[in-house]
Amino acid sequence: MMPEPNPLVVATAEPAILEARSWLDRYDGALGLPMDLSQAGPPFPPDSELLARIAAAAADPDTARYGPVRGESSLRIAYRDHLQTLYGGDFDPEGVTITAGCNQAFFIVALALLQRGDAVLLPSPWYFNHKMTFDMLGINVRPLPCRPEAGYLPDVEEAAAAMDQGVRAVVLVTPNNPTGAEYPTELIAQFHDLCRRRGAWLIVDDTYRDFRRTPHAPHSLATRAWPEDVIGLYSFSKGYAVPGHRLGAIMASASLAPQILKVQDCVQICAGRPIQIAMTWGVQKLDGWRDARRDQVFAASTRLTDALRGSGWTVDGIGAYFAYLRHPYPGTSASAISAGLATQVGVLTIPGGSFGPHQDGHLRLSLPSITSARAADLRSRLSAFDSLQRVHTA
């Protein structure tokens, strides 16, 4: 008889994007090529010199050897310097760990800080991989509802009311996935004060930091030394368009570094060395290139908002990489709507149910690939979908 796998993993939800992509197998192509708005992959190529530097580093036999577990020292220092410029503080590079993507960074931090039976506050709607990670580790997730009428911002007073001694951490994702909401610096400071009073960790996921609309630093928690109770997460994948190379970062106090190191050594040992070596140059030299990609994404958000105006499909949240769309079919599950869009008109989205409770009225769309032509095509396909629904219900 086959032994049973880990019941915590068995009970964890299926990966949302993999499930959604299976729906496209039933699309007949009648309205043109599929329009994949499901995953937050950059549609633009990386900078050409960055690609050349990755290739050159990969051709060096030395990069085929194991590298430092915490990451290449040159990249750790370059990233520390970048953060010091951004926040105005003075940070120890020993607090920087380079990971194989930000999902891995999150998993490492969760395992380093929390144990089975602990609880976390997770604003809802949430990023599904965060919820999956906690479920696999046996960590209890307490949803912190974020509402469209409040701009999808979490309420610190609601958080305080939900935060008993079992809550060991609060997670904030800003700009948010899936809603695009940017949390004000004052709100993040209030959550930090709450965590300090209750003896909990504050995990701030800055994956989409490079696509913020506000010019100032994302928060004001690190104007001196990096706080001991705050962990910052970042993805090079989005800002530098290299998701296939898998590169992320953890910023924490140097006192926490030994615990992070233990987990990193078991999970990955080290991130890929060629991309680390090339990215050292990228962090130092590609600010202007990155800002131009940000402006491209901003333009896409304007195109989408304009295209959907008056369509019945309402943009409830938008920012950074995402639009959180309210569909016009109350009482119908978001999964059914998302599957119908994929199979009938070839538009791939992620249903709101993947992002937490009470989200069945919404779909998540990824913004960066929306050109003017695609925005018009999306409006046309949504209209075609609406027409099909009227026929089916007649």
Side-chain angles (χ1 to χ4, degrees):
M1 183 176 69
M2 177 180 172
E4 294 292 327
N6 183 341
L8 293 175
V9 176
V10 172
T12 298
E14 297 295 324
I17 291 175
L18 297 183
E19 181 181 14
R21 284 184 171 168
S22 69
W23 296 329
L24 278 180
D25 294 340
R26 305 200 303 275
Y27 171 56
D28 63 8
L31 296 181
L33 293 174
M35 184 182 295
D36 188 349
L37 303 177
S38 64
Q39 194 167 28
F44 34 78
D47 173 78
S48 58
E49 185 169 348
L50 180 64
L51 285 175
R53 287 173 177 268
I54 295 170
D60 182 352
D62 186 60
T63 63
R65 303 176 185 275
Y66 285 120
V69 176
R70 286 183 183 144
E72 300 291 327
S73 61
S74 60
L75 179 56
R76 290 170 56 224
I77 291 170
Y79 182 62
R80 185 280 310 268
D81 292 348
H82 171 75
L83 290 182
Q84 288 186 160
T85 300
L86 184 63
Y87 291 109
D90 183 11
F91 310 145
D92 189 339
E94 289 301 299
V96 177
T97 301
I98 303 299
T99 62
C102 197
N103 266 356
Q104 187 188 82
F106 187 85
F107 194 93
I108 288 170
V109 165
L111 197 54
L113 302 185
L114 305 167
Q115 62 182 322
R116 182 172 181 171
D118 286 344
V120 298
L121 288 187
L122 192 60
S124 173
W126 51 54
Y127 174 41
F128 45 77
N129 281 145
H130 287 175
K131 176 62 160 55
M132 291 171 68
T133 293
F134 289 138
D135 288 346
M136 290 179 188
L137 296 176
I139 295 162
N140 300 313
V141 170
R142 298 187 184 170
L144 182 59
C146 299
R147 303 170 181 86
E149 59 269 24
Y152 284 111
L153 300 179
D155 186 283
V156 71
E157 293 184 3
E158 285 189 50
M163 204 167 176
D164 59 28
Q165 291 186 348
V167 174
R168 296 285 317 286
V170 175
V171 178
L172 301 179
V173 181
T174 177
N176 187 257
N177 178 2
T179 69
E182 291 184 20
Y183 297 174
T185 56
E186 298 82 3
L187 181 64
I188 298 173
Q190 291 170 4
F191 270 94
H192 185 221
D193 289 342
L194 173 63
C195 288
R196 279 193 164 172
R197 294 197 306 269
R198 303 295 178 89
W201 300 98
L202 179 62
I203 302 170
V204 181
D205 186 333
D206 278 344
T207 290
Y208 299 97
R209 182 174 70 216
D210 297 320
F211 299 91
R212 299 170 66 254
R213 289 188 177 274
T214 48
H216 53 72
H219 58 73
S220 57
L221 309 183
T223 55
R224 297 180 181 176
W226 191 268
E228 291 188 344
D229 53 357
V230 175
I231 294 86
L233 306 179
Y234 177 70
S235 170
F236 297 93
S237 301
K238 305 301 189 294
Y240 298 91
V242 288
H245 288 285
R246 310 307 304 135
L247 198 65
I250 300 168
M251 183 70 222
S253 69
S255 62
L256 188 59
Q259 312 316 319
I260 292 173
L261 180 69
K262 294 174 189 177
V263 183
Q264 169 85 333
D265 191 55
C266 291
V267 171
Q268 176 76 13
I269 300 182
C270 64
R273 299 190 68 197
I275 182 61
Q276 291 191 66
I277 292 166
M279 191 56 70
T280 301
W281 173 86
V283 169
Q284 297 167 335
K285 300 295 185 181
L286 289 180
D287 285 359
W289 184 92
R290 202 178 59 240
D291 289 348
R293 305 292 87 71
R294 177 201 61 202
D295 293 344
Q296 182 176 335
V297 174
F298 288 173
S301 69
T302 300
R303 292 185 198 108
L304 179 73
T305 303
D306 290 346
L308 296 187
R309 191 170 287 114
S311 69
W313 299 73
T314 306
V315 179
D316 271 352
I318 195 165
Y321 255 55
F322 301 110
Y324 206 49
L325 200 64
R326 176 156 42 90
H327 66 74
Y329 299 96
T332 303
S333 75
S335 182
I337 298 299
S338 192
L341 286 171
T343 59
Q344 297 173 30
V345 298
V347 174
L348 190 58
T349 62
I350 302 296
S354 300
F355 304 103
H358 313 301
Q359 300 302 315
D360 253 345
H362 290 85
L363 311 173
R364 189 194 77 177
L365 279 64
S366 179
L367 291 172
S369 67
I370 297 180
T371 61
S372 296
R374 285 196 114 197
D377 188 18
L378 176 62
R379 171 70 181 256
S380 175
R381 293 192 191 206
L382 292 177
S383 296
F385 178 80
D386 291 338
S387 296
L388 288 171
Q389 307 324 297
R390 287 192 289 271
V391 169
H392 292 159
T393 57

